[in-house]
Amino acid sequence: MRPSARYPFRSMSPEPTSTPPRAPVTGESPSPRRRRGLLRTLVRPFRPSRTGTMPAGLVLMIVVLALGVAAFLNADATLRKSKAKGDGWRQEVAQMVASVSDAVGLNRAREGVDQAMGRNQDNSVSVDDLLAQKLAETDSAAAQADPQATRVAAPPKLRQPTPDAPLRFWVGGDSVAGTYGTSMQRIANETGVFTPTLDYRVSTGLARPDYFNWPEHFVKDVLPGVQPDVMVLMFGANDSQNMVIDGKPAERFSEPWLTEYRRRVGATMDLLRSENNDRMIIWVGAAPTGPNSGVATLDKENYIYWSEAQKRPWVTYVDTWAILGTPDYTYAGSAPYADGQTRNMYQKDNVHLATTGADRLSWATLSHIGRFVDLSLSKAVAPASQLAPATVKERDTLPVPT
Amino acid sequence: MLFPTIDFAVFFVVVFTGNWLLRPYAKPWRFFILGSSLFFYGYWSTSYVFLLLASIGANWFFGRSVHDSLGPDGERTVRSRWLVRIAVVFNLGVLGYFKYFEFFLTSIYDRLNSLGIHANAPVLNVVLPIGISFFTFQAISYVIDIGRNQWKRPMTLLDFAVYLSFFAHLVAGPIVRASEFAWQLDNRPDPRFVESSEAFMLIVRGMFKKVVVSSYMATVVDPVFQLPSAHSSWETFWAILAYAIQIYADFGGYTDIAIGVALLLGIRFPQNFDAPYRALSVQDFWRRWHMTLSRWLRDYLYIPLGGNRGSVAFTYRNLFLTMLIGGLWHGANWTFVIWGAIYGGVLVAERIVKGWWAQRGALGLPPQLVKTLQWALTFGIVCFAWVFFRAQSVNQALEVLGRLFSSGGGSGLVTPLLIVTIVAMVASQFVPPRIPERVTAEFAKLAPILQIVALAFGVMLVNALGPEGIAPFIYFQF
């Protein structure tokens, strides 16, 4: 095919150029590679007749090489993200690039920047490796002893907290945990026997570690920094989305998706277990979501949380749907309280809890914690206007979602 | 596909290569660009692609029909007027269904519930296709321009498809008119003179704004708007300023990248931002902020409403309505309506004050002081309006504003780095254009190998300073 004859060149500048045509000068396009070697083309300053322009071929070379160099400079970070995502073949490519980058020392610049910013980029703290190690330990112990032994072991032994020696209390998760956690933090503070820390991240969960990697955050920041005795977690509202598993997209709630999500939940629970069995993990089920919320029902996620918690004595599940839902465990925008009044429990989006709903769930959580921790020295008194009626009971067993 | 990702980098290298290799061949090049754009759009969801193709087909047909129904000298006829109206209604109908139907229903049901008639709104789960507002507005402008005989030569279906779907402006603008784009399809740019320096500078600057600045601001903005009651007045104050910076860095950053990417392919887009936070009046702000939308609203809404061709009150009405509808264009929420109403009200107030000021004469204050006060007032109004733009509900917006005057809460979110970043971003608006131009010129003088190193380190710094993962651009939702 011949180029179109009625297809003249034009300037890309908005104003037509007034530069008259002239003979090429040294170093000018159109064909530098014909006159000079590739290396000389790259090394010598380019002097086009129109300032700021280059031939398309040279631009392509610059783009490709710049992206290539950037890939090697960022190799470690890319590998880390890829690992966190479980990126399949991409992870293999990232591993290869990182190896080359490390061999030629191109990753040093990025390491320097990360260190200057105080970021911990130590790849020795590999969440994948750590989880694998933890799981291997569990499996090994289970294999050596009675397989049921670890399943029926006693819940953690937490000492009685006192105002002089309070327990360290961490509450966090996604944005729903933000509204709920604020109430929980206040109430935990009111008890006088907890020193609470609130730590929530908007738009996060366990489905998108590339966006925010909770397991990594637990390992690097929460466990060593806060050293919590009691951890209250809430996830799920952002997790009803497709995941990338081994480089392949997995549709939400498909079998591979459910298996992977279950693996992540279980691994996170394992990661949070303390060696001395002196940390209690309170996994609060995702709150039911209402009409027009754009969020799926979350019963599948909750079933996974509950069933994984059943396998682990250091984890206990709070049945949010019983506390916030209707008597048949579905979404209820409003519900009666212990004082007989009915109150709206949600914000307008029908996803995030209003203060009323957050208080109701927080008091129920405190009561739940009281089953495992002696809270007799607690100063917190729940007003009836913030409590669910006494008829509201958590379920022992969650039904398998359809 | 998001711009600052590896996926897009690979996509772009392929498109860049194909673009310049095929540019001499008019039709294959068009098909290549169309295919690339549809792939880019379909990367989110393939079902969106069919909607885009339907919009292309329908609006091309409308454009053609309107052109055929014009009089011999291009004058409007009854038939052409009706066809334009039908096209506008069709486009707004599609936009309305995806964007506003659920909002409309929910509002009706809320009203019924408040009257004691209990009913639950049906769950429709209408998913808003990305960029629908942008390509719908472009399509409307195309048909109207033909109807006004301002665009005398309807495009071929292929050209129109390339125009409407071109990936660089598809999802978040700028809103490019046919008259700005079509001539660039017919005139082949010289492949020896790709405006690379300006494009590289725009792309790196845009990535820095989006990935580093916008994401950093979000770490303060999100918690405060999520839960205003947990934050102090000090934190709330800085979070409001941070949102002003966040949305500018996010949208301005996207636009910089889009313009830079298009420039590398030989297409020049119109400017969309011109240091908006240095504006001395709200009218001035709207000449600098999302300029292609302001222009669209002026030409296709304000002027058809009557513009200033009537009494003063009539002009004020048109101004107010234009901004109100402009607010609603951003989303189906009362917060956007209030946001538009604030601007409509302030624009009217500005005109009244200006008139009063002209009669009264100067106060005798030093001009620099007057300018500073004007700037502070304008920036304050803009930040105040952003609260409604960002909030999920009117109640949340009022709660955030209320926190400005309350006591208690912590100050942990406000760090010296945050304050320095906000101040630096505002100060950057006052940097004379000749300085970035000078930087671009100096970059152009570098040997290609140094340009490679500079760009690679630029990308590395953006990656290092930014968060893990890239949040979608704020304006994608519109």
Side-chain angles (χ1 to χ4, degrees), chain B residues 22 45 69 85 102 124 156 160 171 181 196 211 218 237 242 314 324 333 356 368 380 384 401 420 438 453 459 478:
Chain B
L22 292 172
S45 167
S69 61
R85 282 177 198 147
E102 208 152 335
L124 298 174
T156 64
F160 184 68
V171 291
F181 196 85
S196 56
V211 180
F237 171 75
F314 182 71
L324 195 73
N333 196 326
W356 173 75
Q368 206 54 44
F384 169 73
L401 291 169
V420 168
R438 184 74 189 270
V453 171
V459 171
F478 306 132

Side-chain angles (χ1 to χ4, degrees), chain B residues 142-455:
Chain B
Y142 172 74
V143 178
I144 292 179
D145 282 353
I146 290 177
R148 289 174 177 172
N149 201 26
Q150 289 173 350
W151 182 243
K152 298 180 196 302
R153 191 169 57 90
M155 292 165 136
T156 64
L157 179 59
L158 182 57
D159 277 6
F160 184 68
V162 172
Y163 158 62
L164 212 62
S165 69
F166 187 52
F167 71 91
H169 68 55
L170 179 58
V171 291
I175 300 170
V176 184
R177 286 187 186 176
S179 56
E180 291 164 330
F181 196 85
W183 71 274
Q184 303 193 67
L185 295 178
D186 291 334
N187 293 277
R188 176 184 164 203
D190 193 332
R192 295 170 302 173
F193 301 106
V194 179
E195 297 191 39
S196 56
S197 299
E198 185 185 353
F200 287 149
M201 287 294 108
L202 281 166
I203 291 169
V204 172
R205 193 170 70 195
M207 281 172 58
F208 184 81
K209 281 187 195 168
K210 163 61 190 168
V211 180
V212 180
V213 178
S214 172
S215 304
Y216 177 48
M217 293 297 121
T219 61
V220 181
V221 174
D222 288 350
V224 170
F225 277 83
Q226 186 67 51
L227 206 64
S229 60
H231 300 280
S232 63
S233 56
W234 177 246
E235 284 179 325
T236 307
F237 171 75
W238 284 104
I240 292 171
L241 294 185
Y243 184 65
I245 300 302
Q246 184 194 359
I247 193 159
Y248 168 67
D250 195 283
F251 193 23
Y254 172 87
T255 308
D256 285 347
I257 301 172
I259 294 174
V261 160
L263 206 51
L264 285 177
L265 299 178
I267 305 280
R268 187 173 275 278
F269 285 167
Q271 197 182 355
N272 214 18
F273 291 91
D274 180 18
Y277 292 143
R278 66 176 297 173
L280 298 181
S281 67
V282 168
Q283 187 182 26
D284 187 21
F285 173 77
W286 277 102
R287 284 182 185 142
R288 296 166 175 273
W289 176 271
H290 204 172
M291 294 151 76
T292 54
L293 175 67
S294 306
R295 196 181 58 175
W296 196 98
L297 291 173
R298 181 197 64 201
D299 293 348
Y300 302 107
L301 194 57
Y302 177 67
I303 292 174
L305 280 171
N308 56 6
R309 301 186 303 276
S311 66
V312 174
F314 182 71
T315 303
Y316 290 167
R317 185 207 72 159
N318 293 338
L319 208 52
F320 187 82
L321 276 178
T322 302
M323 296 314 293
L324 195 73
I325 295 169
L328 197 57
W329 173 82
H330 283 86
N333 196 326
W334 289 110
T335 53
F336 293 120
V337 176
I338 292 176
W339 180 76
I342 290 170
Y343 278 115
V346 173
L347 281 172
V348 169
E350 264 184 13
R351 289 201 172 200
I352 293 169
V353 171
K354 267 186 188 171
W356 173 75
W357 203 269
Q359 286 176 354
R360 192 189 183 285
L363 285 174
L365 294 170
Q368 206 54 44
L369 177 63
V370 173
K371 274 191 174 180
T372 307
L373 291 174
Q374 284 178 323
W375 172 82
L377 184 63
T378 304
F379 188 59
I381 290 168
V382 169
C383 290
F384 169 73
W386 281 139
V387 174
F388 288 90
F389 194 89
R390 171 62 178 79
Q392 299 292 321
S393 64
V394 177
N395 281 344
Q396 192 189 56
L398 295 176
E399 200 182 348
V400 169
L401 291 169
R403 290 304 297 175
L404 281 172
F405 307 101
S406 61
S407 57
S411 60
L413 287 177
V414 183
T415 61
L417 179 62
L418 176 83
I419 295 172
V420 168
T421 308
I422 290 173
V423 171
M425 283 298 290
V426 174
S428 73
Q429 307 278 294
F430 295 89
V431 173
R434 68 173 184 277
I435 292 180
E437 284 167 11
R438 184 74 189 270
V439 172
T440 305
E442 291 301 319
F443 178 81
K445 289 178 190 168
L446 294 176
I449 191 78
L450 292 178
Q451 294 196 7
I452 290 167
V453 171
L455 290 172

Side-chain angles (χ1 to χ4, degrees), chain A residues 50-389:
Chain A
R50 289 183 203 158
T51 309
T53 65
M54 276 186 181
L58 191 53
V59 174
L60 178 62
M61 207 185 305
I62 290 175
V63 169
V64 170
L65 289 175
L67 288 172
V69 174
F72 283 108
L73 290 170
N74 286 319
D76 287 349
T78 308
L79 177 62
R80 196 157 35 78
K81 284 181 206 168
S82 194
K83 273 187 174 179
K85 279 173 80 173
D87 239 356
W89 66 269
R90 288 167 185 243
Q91 188 178 324
E92 288 171 23
V93 174
Q95 180 69 63
M96 208 165 59
V97 174
S99 304
V100 175
S101 176
D102 193 40
V104 296
L106 269 176
N107 56 357
R108 306 279 190 281
R110 173 67 192 261
E111 275 177 23
V113 174
D114 288 337
Q115 278 170 10
M117 292 169 60
R119 283 189 180 173
N120 178 12
Q121 302 292 341
D122 185 359
N123 279 330
S124 63
V125 187
S126 162
V127 177
D128 277 351
D129 295 346
L130 195 58
L131 287 174
Q133 189 186 329
K134 280 247 179 196
L135 287 169
E137 283 171 11
T138 310
D139 292 346
S140 161
Q144 286 171 14
D146 175 4
Q148 293 301 313
T150 51
R151 304 288 184 241
V152 296
K157 291 275 184 205
L158 267 68
R159 63 178 172 79
Q160 184 188 14
T162 67
D164 293 332
L167 289 176
R168 287 178 293 265
F169 186 103
W170 182 96
V171 54
D174 55 23
S175 58
V176 185
T179 48
Y180 155 69
T182 304
S183 286
M184 191 70 249
Q185 184 186 32
R186 176 178 57 77
I187 290 167
N189 205 34
E190 278 178 26
T191 64
V193 296
F194 291 123
T195 45
T197 302
L198 173 61
D199 182 4
Y200 68 94
R201 311 291 161 127
V202 176
S203 305
T204 64
L206 299 176
R208 288 283 309 276
D210 58 314
Y211 184 66
F212 187 77
N213 192 330
W214 273 102
E216 188 177 60
H217 180 56
F218 286 135
V219 173
K220 286 185 179 174
D221 308 317
V222 178
L223 297 183
V226 182
Q227 297 180 346
D229 302 300
V230 177
M231 292 185 76
V232 179
L233 296 84
M234 186 193 236
F235 293 110
N238 304 304
D239 283 347
S240 299
Q241 56 176 298
N242 297 347
M243 291 197 284
V244 178
I245 304 167
D246 293 334
K248 291 177 189 166
E251 198 176 336
R252 67 175 182 169
F253 307 142
S254 63
E255 270 313 309
W257 189 97
L258 291 169
T259 307
E260 173 62 13
Y261 195 72
R262 180 179 287 281
R263 187 191 74 79
R264 292 183 188 186
V265 170
T268 304
M269 289 175 173
D270 292 337
L271 198 64
L272 297 175
R273 185 181 65 158
S274 81
E275 292 304 314
N276 304 322
N277 197 29
D278 57 358
R279 180 182 304 131
M280 192 76 221
I281 309 301
I282 318 290
W283 200 292
V284 181
T289 52
N292 302 334
S293 66
V295 178
T297 58
L298 301 171
D299 54 344
K300 292 183 174 65
E301 284 96 332
N302 277 350
Y303 183 75
I304 290 175
Y305 306 146
W306 172 80
S307 53
E308 288 302 306
Q310 297 304 302
K311 300 174 190 170
R312 294 166 176 84
W314 62 94
V315 185
T316 179
Y317 177 82
V318 174
D319 186 7
T320 312
W321 287 30
I323 298 160
L324 297 177
T326 60
D328 55 348
Y329 311 108
T330 56
Y331 169 82
S334 58
Y337 277 63
D339 62 356
Q341 296 291 314
T342 296
R343 294 183 175 83
N344 289 325
M345 297 186 294
Y346 283 82
Q347 296 183 22
K348 277 244 168 185
D349 60 10
N350 291 342
V351 176
H352 296 91
L353 296 172
T355 309
T356 41
D359 285 346
R360 178 178 171 121
L361 182 58
S362 298
W363 285 111
T365 308
L366 188 69
S367 167
H368 189 105
I369 294 170
R371 294 188 212 163
F372 307 95
V373 183
D374 182 354
L375 295 178
S376 54
L377 295 177
S378 164
K379 294 180 212 158
V381 180
S385 59
Q386 296 177 14
L387 272 181

Side-chain angles (χ1 to χ4, degrees), chain B residues 9-33:
Chain B
V10 174
F11 167 82
F12 181 70
V13 167
V14 174
V15 172
F16 181 88
T17 310
N19 174 72
W20 289 106
L21 286 176
L22 292 172
R23 206 55 166 103
Y25 311 101
K27 266 199 173 171
W29 174 77
R30 284 164 165 80
F31 277 115
F32 175 73
I33 292 295

